[in-house]
């Protein structure tokens, strides 16, 4: 055998081995419908009946489409494993079927969606209506204790897009550290968070972790604060959160003083391009109750703030430092903070009739 044919034979022996090692995994799509059956395949023509069954099969890169209807189900990591990805590129998607209205209304329990384990990462929920009206309505101590969305114990990089969150006895969204102090990077984009809470302690979104985003969302008619960035623990801070392009209106339904947006006990938080209207106060930076709460490096840019009575448009408390307030349309900025930059803010009469007019946030948008 000549050397040429000898080497050709060796090459042909290796070719199958090379191609055997290249495996392409095709992302799967599953379907759930109120008329389905969990013994079926989960295809579009033979959908599952329960979301729980669909989630059981979902893997990185897969999509679960939920057909229109009302589902008496919660999604909780305390009851089942939540599918995850390794990046946004292969995040599993749990979505309403395009153009169809999907309501999750569990009868009882404490959350509609509960993500309470550190393995949870890179998962997307979109197009769902989370109705917490059937959940537990009160706790023994009198506080509302059910939530539309709860994230804790290190769950991170979870995206909620075009989600309606309503009717919780507690806060609509509660994101807490739990056993982990790491940044959580939850995202709420194009959401509608409304009519949540029964007491001063219940808010539209209560966020006490770092790296989260609330963008281009409507936050309205919640019991107390609209968006509440606060940890409740002086040893833990909520840093580098972004609130951009939101319409925060008509909150403080049961409170006489709550602002639309509170930023306290953290550093590097950004509040930009929001409309803040019809709340009892506009934007608070720092704590009105404690000088020990350290709030630093907050930026407040390009917001429109009006009709927040009887309070102040932007109120910067002594517990804050290096707050940067620029290019806002606001009647009043009260500054008691340290090293505050307060420049190029203006007061333009928007008109009280604007308070009841629907607004579409026009922020920078999600990038």
């Amino acid at each position: 055998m000549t050397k040429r044919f000898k080497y050709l034979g060796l090459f042909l022996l290796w070719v199958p081995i090379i191609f055997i090692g290249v495996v392409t995994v095709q992302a799967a799509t599953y379907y759930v419908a109120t008329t389905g059956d969990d013994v079926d395949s989960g295809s579009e023509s033979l959908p599952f009946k329960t979301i729980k069954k669909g989630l059981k099969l979902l893997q990185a890169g897969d999509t679960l489409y939920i057909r229109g209807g009302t589902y008496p189900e919660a999604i909780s990591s305390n009851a089942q494993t939540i599918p995850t990805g390794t990046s946004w590129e292969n995040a599993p998607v749990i979505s309403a079927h395009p153009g169809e209205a999907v309501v999750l209304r569990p009868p009882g329990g404490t959350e509609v969606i509960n993500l309470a384990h550190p393995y949870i990462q890179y998962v997307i929920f979109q197009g769902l209506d989370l109705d917490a009206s059937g959940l537990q309505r009160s706790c023994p101590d009198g506080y509302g204790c059910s939530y539309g969305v709860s994230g804790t114990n290190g769950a991170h990089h979870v995206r909620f897009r075009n989600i309606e969150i309503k009717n919780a006895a507690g806060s609509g969204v509660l994101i807490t550290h739990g056993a982990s102090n790491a940044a959580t990077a939850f995202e709420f984009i194009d959401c509608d968070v409304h009519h949540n809470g029964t007491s001063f302690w219940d808010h539209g979104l209560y966020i006490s972790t770092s790296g989260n985003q609330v963008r281009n969302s409507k936050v309205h008619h919640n019991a107390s604060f609209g968006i509440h960035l606060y940890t409740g623990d002086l040893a833990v801070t909520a840093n580098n959160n972004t609130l951009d392009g939101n319409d925060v209106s008509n909150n403080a339904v049961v409170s006489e003083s709550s602002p639309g947006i509170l930023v306290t006990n953290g550093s590097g938080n950004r509040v930009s391009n929001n409309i803040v209207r019809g709340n009892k106060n506009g934007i608070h930076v720092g704590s009105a109750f404690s000088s020990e709460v350290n709030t630093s490096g907050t930026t407040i840019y390009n917001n429109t703030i009006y009709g927040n009575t009887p309070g102040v448009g932007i109120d910067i408390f002594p517990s804050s430092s290096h707050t940067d307030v620029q290019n806002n349309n606001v009647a009043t900025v009260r500054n008691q903070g340290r090293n505050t930059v307060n420049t190029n803010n203006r007061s333009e009469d928007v008109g009280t009739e604007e308070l009841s007019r629907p607004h579409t946030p026009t922020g920078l948008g999600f990038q």
Side-chain angles (χ1 to χ4, degrees):
M1 180 182 295
T2 66
K3 288 186 178 180
R4 179 182 299 176
F5 287 107
K6 178 180 179 181
Y7 293 146
L8 178 59
L10 289 173
F11 173 76
L12 293 174
L13 286 174
W14 277 101
V15 168
I17 298 174
I18 294 171
F19 282 95
I20 288 171
V22 178
V23 178
T24 301
V25 178
Q26 185 70 34
T29 301
Y30 300 100
Y31 295 83
V32 173
T34 57
T35 57
D37 193 322
D38 282 353
V39 302
D40 284 334
S41 63
S43 66
E44 187 170 12
S45 59
L46 293 170
F48 299 129
K49 184 175 181 62
T50 66
I51 298 169
K52 181 177 181 179
K53 178 60 183 289
L55 294 181
K56 187 176 180 180
L57 298 180
L58 212 62
Q59 298 182 33
D62 293 348
T63 299
L64 178 66
Y65 280 128
I66 306 170
R67 303 306 301 256
T70 299
Y71 294 80
E73 293 187 64
I75 297 174
S76 175
S77 65
N78 290 328
Q80 67 181 123
T81 300
I82 303 299
T84 65
T86 57
S87 69
W88 289 125
E89 282 68 34
N90 70 352
V93 178
I94 299 136
S95 175
H97 193 278
E100 299 184 13
V102 174
V103 179
L104 274 62
R105 187 185 297 142
T110 54
E111 302 95 4
V112 182
I113 294 180
N114 177 42
L115 307 172
H117 292 81
Y119 75 85
I120 299 170
Q121 63 172 8
Y122 295 108
V123 56
I124 298 172
F125 297 88
Q126 65 184 26
L128 305 174
D129 180 342
L130 309 183
D131 184 353
S133 60
L135 300 181
Q136 182 173 309
R137 302 309 297 172
S138 63
C139 286
D141 61 6
Y143 290 78
C145 59
S146 59
Y147 310 98
V149 172
S150 175
T152 189
N153 292 335
H156 62 95
H157 289 91
V158 182
R159 181 176 295 164
F160 293 85
R161 184 186 291 277
N162 191 25
I163 300 289
E164 185 173 6
I165 304 169
K166 63 186 181 184
N167 298 330
S171 295
V173 172
L174 178 67
I175 308 298
T176 61
H177 285 280
S180 172
N181 291 334
T184 54
F186 274 63
E187 301 178 1
F188 296 88
I189 304 167
D190 298 320
C191 293
D192 188 359
V193 183
H194 65 95
H195 291 93
N196 297 288
T198 56
S199 76
F200 174 82
W201 310 103
D202 307 321
H203 317 298
L205 297 97
Y206 188 159
I207 297 174
S208 62
T209 59
S210 299
N212 306 286
Q213 302 182 40
V214 184
R215 293 184 181 268
N216 298 333
S217 294
K218 297 178 180 179
V219 183
H220 59 100
H221 294 96
N222 297 289
S224 194
F225 299 69
I227 304 175
H228 185 272
L229 296 182
Y230 175 68
T231 68
D233 182 350
L234 295 180
V236 178
T237 54
N239 308 319
N240 302 315
N241 294 288
T242 297
L243 312 178
D244 183 87
N246 304 292
D247 183 3
V248 183
S249 67
N250 299 298
N251 295 288
V253 172
V254 302
S255 167
E256 296 180 355
S257 60
S258 295
I261 296 175
L262 170 72
V263 179
T264 190
N265 202 18
S267 64
N269 293 299
R270 181 183 180 92
V271 181
S272 56
N273 303 300
N274 302 286
I275 298 168
V276 184
R277 59 192 178 95
N279 309 284
K280 299 298 171 57
N281 276 280
I283 298 174
H284 281 181
V285 181
S287 174
F289 306 106
S290 173
S291 60
E292 298 180 1
V293 174
N294 182 22
T295 306
S296 64
T298 305
T299 57
I300 304 177
Y301 294 161
N302 305 317
N303 300 282
T304 298
I305 305 158
Y306 64 95
N308 300 284
T309 58
V312 175
I314 299 176
D315 213 346
I316 304 168
F317 292 98
S319 58
S320 65
S321 65
H322 298 91
T323 305
D324 191 355
V325 185
Q326 297 190 48
N327 302 322
N328 300 282
N329 184 12
V330 57
T332 307
V333 178
R334 182 164 61 187
N335 175 35
Q336 303 174 71
R338 305 180 305 279
N339 303 112
T340 300
V341 174
N342 179 12
T343 184
N344 202 32
N345 298 293
R346 61 204 179 279
S347 177
E348 298 176 0
D349 185 8
V350 180
T352 56
E353 71 276 3
E354 290 290 303
L355 287 174
S356 59
R357 182 177 299 175
H359 281 71
T360 300
T362 56
L364 299 176
F366 178 73
Q367 301 294 327

